[in-house]
Amino acid sequence: EAGVAQSPRYKIIEKRQSVAFWCNPISGHATLYWYQQILGQGPKLLIQFQNNGVVDDSQLPKDRFSAERLKGVDSTLKIQPAKLEDSAVYLCASSARDRLINEQFFGPGTRLTVL
Amino acid sequence: SQQGEEDPQALSIQEGENATMNCSYKTSINNLQWYRQNSGRGLVHLILIRSNEREKHSGRLRVTLDTSKKSSSLLITASRAADTASYFCATALGAGSYQLTFGKGTKLSVIP
């Protein structure tokens, strides 16, 4: 089966600019996650969707970050305006709705550099 | 916040040796998972162990879980150069929770 797709793979912007990332999860996966991974650290959950509804966005900096998942499939994550500390890899993951197993499948990530 | 803390932060071994990484966490969990991340394949799920399990095997991987000590270990036997990667433990808190909290990872280097 096809994996989680993300684009772009790399993005360089200047601070105060805006940027958007796109994610297409594995077909049929109801749950979608966006993570931020700063260099040298583990991924940190930003937002979790179940179908097209938000389950948890408690760690999403809502003054500058927004995310949506239209029709319960693709998702976009936007940053506006970007700050230097937003430089990180943004990972999208998806999982099937299963009460016993919550293995997550990750995309290749988008490496964002804010200058 | 990051619940899991891996130890050591970095590990360098010769090919063929075994590698052991440890993970400690703070709160009760439903399950604990190990993931591998390298530049070629991104973040990949390796193995999941539930809170009522003590040990699990998958190929050259052996995972243990001690819920009384809130710790887990990942053993990679007969390491290969291709095992060079960062390894993360991730904890899931509740049976109905699909959220994972990752640690900072152990960077493993396997020298040919």
Side-chain angles (χ1 to χ4, degrees):
Chain A
E1 65 183 357
V4 176
Q6 288 188 249
S7 67
R9 293 294 307 277
Y10 304 92
K11 190 74 177 179
I12 300 174
I13 61 172
E14 295 188 350
K15 60 183 179 183
R16 291 188 289 273
Q17 286 187 325
S18 62
V19 64
F21 313 127
W22 173 82
C23 172
N24 180 242
I26 292 174
S27 177
H29 279 191
T31 310
L32 184 147
Y33 314 80
W34 282 101
Y35 290 86
Q36 179 193 58
Q37 185 176 22
I38 293 172
L39 185 65
Q41 297 185 19
K44 184 186 83 170
L45 180 68
L46 293 176
I47 188 167
Q48 176 188 349
F49 291 93
Q50 186 73 29
N51 296 309
N52 61 349
V54 175
V55 174
D56 187 342
D57 62 358
S58 59
Q59 298 195 84
L60 187 73
K62 299 181 188 63
D63 58 333
R64 297 183 301 106
F65 287 65
S66 65
E68 61 181 6
R69 189 182 185 196
L70 299 175
K71 300 179 181 178
V73 182
D74 294 6
S75 177
T76 56
L77 176 69
K78 298 179 181 177
I79 308 175
Q80 182 179 11
K83 293 185 175 182
L84 296 177
E85 58 261 36
D86 298 332
S87 293
V89 176
Y90 290 85
L91 297 166
C92 178
S94 69
S95 65
R97 186 179 177 89
D98 186 309
R99 291 187 61 84
L100 297 179
I101 299 173
N102 57 337
E103 172 187 353
Q104 295 183 17
F105 297 84
F106 284 80
T110 296
R111 183 177 297 276
L112 174 66
T113 302
V114 182
L115 303 175
Chain B
S1 62
Q2 292 181 301
Q3 148 128 288
E5 290 289 336
E6 289 90 341
D7 170 61
Q9 291 186 354
L11 179 62
S12 184
I13 59 173
Q14 296 289 328
E15 200 166 31
E17 293 181 338
N18 296 341
T20 300
M21 289 158 270
N22 302 296
C23 169
S24 60
Y25 56 92
K26 298 174 183 175
T27 62
S28 296
I29 61 173
N30 174 269
N31 66 73
L32 184 145
Q33 304 177 30
W34 285 90
Y35 285 78
R36 179 181 64 210
Q37 186 176 42
N38 59 31
S39 57
R41 291 198 59 196
L43 199 62
V44 176
H45 178 267
L46 295 176
I47 193 165
L48 178 153
I49 186 166
R50 296 186 173 88
S51 60
N52 61 353
E53 297 175 312
R54 292 296 167 259
E55 187 171 312
K56 203 163 183 180
H57 296 254
S58 177
R60 295 184 296 113
L61 305 180
R62 173 178 166 253
V63 170
T64 63
L65 179 64
D66 187 334
T67 53
S68 66
K69 295 181 179 178
K70 292 186 170 59
S71 67
S72 174
S73 67
L74 172 67
L75 168 68
I76 304 174
T77 60
S79 64
R80 305 167 181 168
D83 295 328
T84 294
S86 290
Y87 292 81
F88 297 90
C89 69
T91 53
L93 297 184
S97 170
Y98 299 90
Q99 293 184 15
L100 295 176
T101 303
F102 285 81
K104 293 184 177 181
T106 292
K107 192 168 185 177
L108 173 66
S109 298
V110 181
I111 303 167

